[in-house]
């Protein structure tokens, strides 16, 4: 097979991916926020990160690079289900990578003054004492480091990265990068043994300016090194420093992908001749290695590729990673016009007699797991991760996998950087909790940001959800089969106006209209021309009626409007009740409105609802559902992780529920706590508590469900938690 040949039919479909075995699965057992490693006295809002991660020889301690903090952090996983902060070691510079050799850790540290004057060093760290012992000057800016399996050699990719603001980031930008190889003695690099391996003159793209990105050893003492910006790969003998082979990473043409950042997921575009531009690389054996093709300024094939060390393309995943992310609601539409899911990190490890490939998707915040068959890899499962997974490390003797998630969104009040631990055990994958099926062409329904939920009036286990304004050009109603595990999105109905996808909607609530269609509630935002309005749509999603909020409400509007709609009564007695998320201009602090509307008479009215007091941030409503004489209301704070305190289900009795005219004194209703949903969220996937429970429904048999809004994977981990609560009366 030629160097750039691809397995026949590979790109046209995912038919070569075999079904997963059901007897073993990786599931997350612990989540550790690395901010817990901040030194005493440090502002808790200080940015931290976990990027590249390694494990101790005994597999009980993790060490990760923290570039923003300028050091390495330690995590004690003696009890893998309860990680403990192991402290932070500050370094003089910016650590870019870390590896472990015996009882020593070796960090590559960038100390560059500028792009044109790069510098760096290796720092040897005693893992037990957590102290820095020795340093070797590298003569350039390092990126990845790796240790040979026999402990004899250390390889360092000297990237000498380019200035992305200079000449639009196009290379060449000197000085050139290279590869350093050291001899190791008891885990300590011999600085005097450093070999400099020139990689200049190899690539077709900017051959005078190689920028090595990632390195890895095979058992034969060979180093594979990727040159991402150059779209090139080299193989080097560690013993001699000789380049024994090199070749272009090649190009790929993709069908059925989304290339438009337009508020809609549509896998109906094609791209020709995308450069792979690989980032991470890992050997599968002494003759094959796998690359994660993240891409840089000219490419990114959204795939992973298996090469022979002579340069033959043995397998390319094509659009499979995009489809896996989309089916789980993790597809990052805002990156459609760039590099899609952005496969960046890799791990290869053997558990028992089976070798696995773990591919980390930076923008989808997922890890996709495949079984190495020697031919086309077999898809196994997806793993939910924190935001921006980059580093992965396996601990096979303990059946563990660990991920390091780079992003820290503390400035936005969002998720911190996390280390997450997964265990391989008998059983089925816990995640995803909900996923979409594929159409007749093998393409999944893209979805995300589920923000309202209602049960079919007659069919137990059949639910309908809507997506919010994130998908502004593709407002949709999703049909869910909740009798399956995971729940299945079996259909997507686009909301249309005049036969075209409706624009400027922020759908936050859905209710049955009693006529085979639905009432939809749109949370308005006048400054963005999004209306505060109710819409009645038919079964095909076409808008048949649009009802704006009355002038009395619009006069006191705020951007946090209707977050749910439900229907009480039938026929001419039908009354819609909408939950307003937060206080509007005329509401006392700590009270919000439940607004009613009677379609037969056009009458508007309201009551006030008392909110719990939150410890930080704000508290508001996010869903309302009428069932068996009660209005069930989801009340939540806007906090995540350990700061999340209020994720509760309350009820208001419909007996005596009498909304008053909008210009009258509005009565204050009483509420009853039905269930604290925090334990359900914590138990769902062993992740950190996410922000938004925005959908709640009770089906025809009385089974209750809730679902979270994942914000369309925008500054979010993308995780959607769908939970079957069972019969509420049975669990109170």
């Amino acid at each position: 097979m030629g160097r750039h040949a691809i397995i026949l039919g590979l790109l046209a479909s995912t038919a070569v991916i075999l079904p997963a075995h059901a007897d073993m699965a990786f599931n997350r057992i612990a989540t550790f926020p690395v901010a817990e490693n901040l030194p005493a006295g440090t502002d808790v809002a200080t940015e931290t990160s976990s990027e590249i991660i390694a494990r101790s020889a005994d597999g009980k301690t993790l060490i990760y690079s923290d570039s923003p903090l300028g050091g390495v952090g330690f995590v004690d996983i003696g009890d893998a289900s309860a990680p403990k902060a192991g402290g932070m070691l500050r370094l003089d510079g910016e650590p870019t990578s870390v590896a472990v050799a015996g009882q020593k850790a070796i960090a590559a540290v960038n100390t560059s003054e500028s792009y044109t004057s790069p510098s760096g060093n290796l720092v040897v760290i005693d893992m037990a004492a957590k102290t820095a012992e020795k340093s070797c000057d590298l003569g350039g800016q390092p990126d990845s480091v790796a240790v040979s399996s026999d402990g004899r050699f250390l390889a360092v990719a000297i990237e000498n990265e380019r200035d992305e603001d200079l000449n639009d980031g196009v290379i060449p930008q000197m000085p050139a990068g290279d590869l350093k190889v050291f001899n190791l003695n008891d885990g300590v690099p011999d600085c005097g043994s450093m070999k400099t391996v020139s990689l200049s003159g190899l690539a077709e793209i900017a051959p005078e300016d190689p920028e090595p990105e990632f390195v890895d050893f095979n058992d034969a003492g060979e180093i594979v090194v990727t040159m991402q910006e150059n779209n090139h790969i080299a193989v080097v003998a560690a013993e001699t420093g000789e380049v024994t082979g090199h070749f272009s990473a090649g190009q790929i043409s993709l069908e059925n992908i989304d290339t438009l950042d337009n508020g809609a997921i549509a896998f109906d575009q094609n791209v020709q001749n995308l450069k792979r531009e690989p980032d991470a690389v890992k050997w599968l054996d002494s003759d094959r290695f796998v690359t994660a093709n993240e891409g840089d300024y000219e490419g990114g094939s959204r795939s992973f590729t298996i090469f022979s060390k002579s340069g033959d393309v043995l397998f390319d995943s094509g659009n499979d990673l995009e489809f896996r992310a989309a089916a789980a609601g993790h597809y990052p539409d805002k990156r459609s016009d760039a590099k899609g899911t952005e496969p960046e990190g890799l791990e290869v490890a053997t558990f028992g007699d089976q070798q696995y490939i773990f591919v980390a998707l930076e923008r989808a915040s997922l890890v996709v797991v495949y079984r190495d068959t020697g031919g086309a890899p077999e898809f196994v499962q997806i793993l939910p991760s924190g935001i921006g997974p980059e580093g992965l490390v396996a601990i096979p003797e303990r059946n563990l996998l660990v991920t390091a998630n780079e992003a820290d969104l503390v400035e936005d009040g969002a998720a911190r950087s996390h280390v997450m631990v997964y265990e391989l055990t008998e059983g089925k994958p816990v995640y995803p909790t909900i996923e979409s099926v594929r159409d007749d062409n093998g393409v999944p329904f893209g979805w995300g940001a589920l923000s309202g939920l209602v049960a079919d009036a007659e069919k137990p286990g059949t639910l309908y959800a809507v997506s919010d304004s994130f998908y502004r050009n593709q407002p949709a109603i999703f049909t869910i089969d909740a009798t399956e595990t995971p729940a299945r999105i079996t259909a997507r109905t686009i909301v249309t106006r005049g036969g075209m996808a409706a624009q400027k909607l922020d759908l936050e609530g859905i209710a049955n209209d009693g006529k085979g269609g639905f009432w939809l509630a749109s949370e308005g935002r006048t400054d963005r021309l999004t209306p505060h309005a109710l819409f009645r749509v038919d079964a095909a999603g076409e808008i048949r009626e649009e009802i704006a909020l009355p002038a009395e409400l619009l006069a006191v509007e705020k951007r946090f409007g209707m977050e749910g709609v439900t229907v009480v009564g039938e026929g001419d007695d039908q009354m819609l009740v909408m939950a307003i998320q937060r206080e509007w201009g005329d509401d006392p602090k700590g009270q919000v409105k439940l607004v009613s509307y009677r379609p037969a008479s056009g009458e508007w009215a309201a009551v006030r609802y008392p909110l719990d007091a939150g410890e930080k941030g704000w508290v508001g409503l996010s869903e309302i559902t009428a069932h068996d004489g009660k209005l069930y209301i989801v009340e939540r704070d806007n906090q995540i992780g350990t700061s999340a305190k209020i994720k509760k289900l309350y009820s208001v009795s419909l007996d005596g529920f009498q909304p008053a005219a909008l210009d009258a004194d509005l009565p204050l209703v009483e509420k009853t706590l039905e269930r604290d949903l925090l334990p359900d969220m914590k138990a769902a996937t062993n992740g950190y508590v996410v922000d938004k429970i925005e959908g709640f429904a009770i089906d025809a048999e009385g089974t209750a469900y809730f679902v979270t809004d994942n914000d369309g994977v925008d500054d979010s981990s993308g995780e959607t938690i769908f939970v079957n609560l069972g019969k509420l009366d049975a669990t109170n």
Side-chain angles (χ1 to χ4, degrees):
M1 182 166 54
R3 189 155 68 192
H4 303 307
I6 298 176
I7 290 177
L8 181 64
L10 168 61
L11 300 178
S13 72
T14 57
V16 295
I17 306 296
L18 303 176
H21 297 306
D23 55 342
M24 300 288 287
F26 291 91
N27 284 309
R28 185 168 52 197
I29 60 171
T31 299
F32 176 79
V34 299
E36 290 189 10
N37 261 338
L38 283 169
T42 305
D43 185 347
V44 294
T46 299
E47 182 184 2
T48 65
S49 182
S50 53
E51 297 169 78
I52 304 303
I53 193 162
R55 38 106 15 129
S56 61
D58 64 4
K60 295 182 179 180
T61 301
L62 304 171
I63 181 172
Y64 60 87
S65 59
D66 187 334
S67 175
L69 205 59
V72 294
F74 300 87
V75 185
D76 177 358
I77 56 167
D79 179 352
S81 64
K84 298 177 182 178
M88 173 68 59
L89 174 63
R90 298 271 195 167
L91 301 174
D92 185 14
E94 174 194 5
T96 60
S97 186
V98 63
V100 173
Q103 302 305 310
K104 308 294 184 181
I106 305 169
V109 182
N110 176 18
T111 59
S112 303
E113 295 180 359
S114 67
Y115 291 105
T116 57
S117 182
S119 63
N121 55 55
L122 289 177
V123 177
V124 179
I125 299 165
D126 185 288
M127 288 284 287
K130 300 175 184 175
T131 56
E133 294 186 331
K134 183 179 180 179
S135 179
C136 295
D137 180 45
L138 291 170
Q141 173 258 313
D143 195 333
S144 167
V145 298
V147 173
S148 62
S149 58
D150 59 10
R152 294 180 59 203
F153 299 106
L154 173 78
V156 187
I158 303 299
E159 183 177 12
N160 290 344
E161 63 185 355
R162 72 190 194 280
D163 182 351
E164 296 184 15
D165 295 325
L166 177 65
N167 194 28
D168 293 326
V170 176
I171 57 174
Q173 290 185 24
M174 309 306 284
D178 53 42
L179 177 70
K180 307 293 188 186
V181 182
F182 293 82
N183 295 339
L184 292 175
N185 298 313
D186 294 326
V188 178
D190 177 357
C191 299
S193 72
M194 183 178 75
K195 292 189 286 286
T196 297
V197 181
S198 173
L199 300 172
S200 297
L202 304 182
E204 296 175 3
I205 299 170
E208 70 273 38
D209 182 25
E211 295 196 10
E213 192 81 22
F214 209 97
V215 290
D216 192 45
F217 283 90
N218 65 13
D219 288 342
E222 295 173 307
I223 305 163
V224 60
V225 53
T226 58
M227 290 164 269
Q228 186 172 29
E229 290 83 355
N230 310 88
N231 196 39
H232 210 76
I233 300 169
V235 178
V236 176
E239 186 80 54
T240 64
E242 177 189 0
V243 176
T244 59
H246 68 91
F247 45 87
S248 169
Q251 300 177 345
I252 186 174
S253 296
L254 294 176
E255 297 180 352
N256 298 325
I257 64 170
D258 187 344
T259 63
L260 303 175
D261 171 13
N262 63 348
I265 300 176
F267 294 113
D268 57 6
Q269 289 103 52
N270 304 324
V271 177
Q272 302 299 312
N273 302 321
L274 273 176
K275 295 181 178 68
R276 288 192 172 91
E277 294 185 341
D279 187 340
V281 61
K282 288 285 184 177
W283 289 94
L284 292 167
D285 51 43
S286 290
D287 297 309
R288 300 177 302 142
F289 55 80
V290 57
T291 62
N293 305 321
E294 178 196 24
D296 204 277
Y297 64 102
E298 286 191 355
S301 63
R302 312 180 183 212
S303 66
F304 70 94
T305 306
I306 297 176
F307 291 91
S308 73
K309 70 178 178 183
S310 60
D312 294 328
V313 174
L314 305 179
F315 174 84
D316 192 287
S317 64
N319 58 20
D320 193 57
L321 295 172
E322 305 281 284
F323 283 9
R324 299 293 177 187
H330 279 256
Y331 181 76
D333 182 63
K334 282 193 173 182
R335 301 297 297 177
S336 291
D337 61 339
K339 296 171 284 185
T341 57
E342 290 192 31
E344 181 176 21
L346 282 172
E347 174 66 306
V348 171
T350 299
F351 290 75
D353 60 357
Q354 182 57 60
Q355 181 160 274
Y356 293 90
I357 303 169
F358 304 91
V359 187
L361 308 183
E362 179 183 10
R363 298 293 180 169
S365 293
L366 276 180
V367 174
V368 187
V369 185
Y370 294 85
R371 188 175 282 108
D372 178 22
T373 67
E378 173 188 339
F379 171 74
V380 176
Q381 65 181 112
I382 63 170
L383 299 174
S385 191
I387 302 176
E390 181 167 351
L392 304 94
V393 64
I395 310 175
E397 68 273 23
R398 298 185 66 193
N399 284 331
L400 299 177
L401 173 75
V402 178
T403 66
N405 303 283
E406 180 180 10
D408 188 338
L409 305 180
V410 63
E411 288 189 3
D412 300 321
R416 305 299 303 260
S417 173
H418 283 76
V419 168
M420 295 185 173
V421 184
Y422 310 79
E423 184 178 23
L424 178 64
T425 57
E426 291 186 6
K428 296 181 178 181
V430 170
Y431 197 83
T433 57
I434 182 169
E435 64 181 359
S436 65
V437 301
R438 300 193 180 197
D439 63 20
D440 293 339
N441 297 316
V443 178
F445 296 115
W447 62 277
L450 300 183
S451 59
L453 197 65
V454 69
D456 189 276
E458 298 178 354
K459 301 176 185 176
T462 297
L463 310 174
Y464 305 96
V466 289
S467 56
D468 67 19
S469 62
F470 186 86
Y471 302 103
R472 60 194 178 280
N473 290 331
Q474 195 185 54
I477 299 169
F478 299 96
T479 303
I480 300 171
D481 180 359
T483 66
E484 297 282 341
T485 302
R488 306 283 183 183
I489 296 176
T490 59
R492 180 179 65 186
T493 302
I494 304 301
V495 177
T496 56
R497 182 186 281 113
M500 302 295 291
Q503 306 292 309
K504 299 296 184 181
L505 302 185
D506 183 5
L507 301 183
E508 297 286 351
I510 180 172
N512 299 305
D513 72 350
K515 301 176 182 179
F518 302 97
W519 285 105
L520 307 178
S522 176
E523 180 183 23
R525 186 162 178 178
T526 301
D527 61 343
R528 295 185 180 176
L529 303 180
T530 301
H532 293 281
L534 293 168
F535 297 89
R536 187 176 65 80
V537 302
D538 61 22
E542 177 70 13
I543 294 174
R544 296 301 181 185
E545 189 175 359
E546 179 174 348
I547 302 165
L549 293 190
E552 296 95 323
L553 286 175
L554 292 178
V556 293
E557 73 160 304
K558 295 283 184 71
R559 57 170 286 202
F560 299 98
M562 290 185 289
E563 280 283 323
V565 59
T566 192
V567 171
V568 178
E570 300 178 350
D572 290 344
D573 290 330
Q574 187 182 80
M575 177 176 65
L576 279 60
V577 184
M578 289 72 68
I580 305 298
Q581 184 179 58
R582 293 175 61 185
E583 300 96 333
W584 278 21
D586 62 338
D587 291 323
K589 183 175 176 55
Q591 295 182 17
V592 294
K593 293 184 183 74
L594 304 180
V595 176
S596 67
Y597 172 74
R598 294 184 179 274
S601 65
E603 175 188 357
W604 291 88
V607 299
R608 286 199 169 95
Y609 172 99
L611 295 170
D612 285 1
E615 295 181 6
K616 57 167 63 173
W618 54 259
V619 178
L621 308 185
S622 59
E623 179 65 296
I624 186 168
T625 299
H627 179 77
D628 197 22
K630 296 179 181 179
L631 293 173
Y632 288 89
I633 296 169
V634 175
E635 187 175 337
R636 67 173 178 87
D637 56 23
N638 67 335
Q639 302 300 299
I640 66 170
T642 56
S643 295
K645 304 299 181 185
I646 302 172
K647 315 290 182 188
K648 295 180 179 179
L649 182 67
Y650 282 101
S651 67
V652 172
S653 175
L654 283 168
D655 185 17
F657 182 76
Q658 296 291 332
L662 295 176
D663 58 358
D665 290 334
L666 302 184
L668 183 67
V669 298
E670 294 183 359
K671 66 182 185 181
T672 301
L673 179 64
E674 295 283 342
R675 189 178 181 115
D676 183 352
L677 300 175
L678 267 177
D680 299 292
M681 298 183 75
K682 292 176 180 177
T685 64
N686 281 320
Y688 56 81
V689 173
V690 296
D691 182 5
K692 302 177 180 179
I693 300 177
E694 294 211 354
F696 175 80
I698 302 176
D699 74 4
E701 289 187 342
T703 300
Y705 306 86
F706 75 77
V707 69
T708 60
D709 175 356
N710 73 354
D711 287 323
V713 205
D714 185 24
D715 288 342
S716 163
S717 68
E719 292 185 35
T720 296
I721 299 175
F722 181 89
V723 176
N724 180 333
L725 293 171
K727 304 290 197 299
L728 289 180
D729 289 343
T731 57
N732 279 350

